[in-house]
Amino acid sequence: MSDERSPRLALPLLQPGQAQKENDHNEALALLDIATQASVLAVAVNAPPADPVPGDCWIVGPSPVGAWAEHAAALAAWTSGGWRFLTPQPGMTVWSVPDSLPVRYEAGGWRSGDIRGARLMIEGKQVIGPQAAAIPDPTGGVVIDAQARDALNTILATLREHGIIEV
């Protein structure tokens, strides 16, 4: 197999005059099959499963053993040719099938369920945008105002809890 690899996914590159180019080509296709629209059966698993099925994929945990040793944080996929490992790149996102959540590789580790964005749009309307400045709690007023203050404080606490407004 070729020693030259692509810079991002480390896919084997074909060389001029190379014999058995199909080996490198097939290896590159197997790795692309893992990376493209990736989904995993579990996140942070340290030991390979006993009976994998071709096409099944996992995110290797921080202390891998057995056939997964030395592949911490990699995507491990079972293929007809055995285990294939793909080293994640910053920003790579896979789908965790059992959790129904995205899992994103950043800062050297996998983060489950975090979705980042500048705003949330639903049917063309912005529902949530950048976090607004803090709204001060209501104060003062007469006795009847106490119930309104309690209601506003509950609303503000909920908005803060959801991160929609600052504390």
Side-chain angles (χ1 to χ4, degrees):
M1 197 158 47
S2 171
D3 289 337
E4 267 193 74
R5 302 226 167 224
S6 67
R8 289 182 39 86
L9 295 178
L11 302 175
L13 300 174
L14 300 177
Q15 300 301 308
Q18 175 182 347
Q20 298 182 330
K21 291 181 182 194
E22 66 276 4
N23 291 338
D24 281 357
H25 179 74
N26 290 341
E27 180 66 15
L29 288 177
L31 292 172
L32 280 173
D33 189 51
I34 297 167
T36 305
Q37 298 295 322
S39 64
V40 295
L41 297 177
V43 177
V45 178
N46 287 311
D51 297 313
V53 173
D56 287 351
C57 190
W58 294 263
I59 293 177
V60 179
S63 305
V65 296
W68 289 4
E70 300 181 24
H71 294 285
L75 290 177
W78 182 252
T79 69
S80 60
W83 288 109
R84 297 288 192 280
F85 299 96
L86 187 68
T87 302
Q89 298 298 312
M92 178 178 264
T93 302
V94 303
W95 184 254
S96 172
V97 174
D99 302 320
S100 293
L101 292 171
V103 185
R104 183 179 176 92
Y105 187 78
E106 58 185 42
W110 290 95
R111 298 178 59 105
S112 182
D114 287 358
I115 299 175
R116 301 188 187 281
R119 60 188 177 160
L120 174 62
M121 304 288 289
I122 297 178
E123 295 182 0
K125 287 190 153 197
Q126 180 174 316
V127 177
I128 299 176
Q131 194 174 47
I135 300 170
D137 291 330
T139 58
V142 293
V143 175
I144 198 163
D145 189 41
Q147 294 166 338
R149 271 198 310 277
D150 287 344
L152 287 172
N153 284 332
T154 301
I155 292 167
L156 290 171
T158 302
L159 292 173
R160 288 180 184 125
E161 182 179 325
H162 289 284
I164 296 172
I165 61 173
E166 290 181 9
V167 176

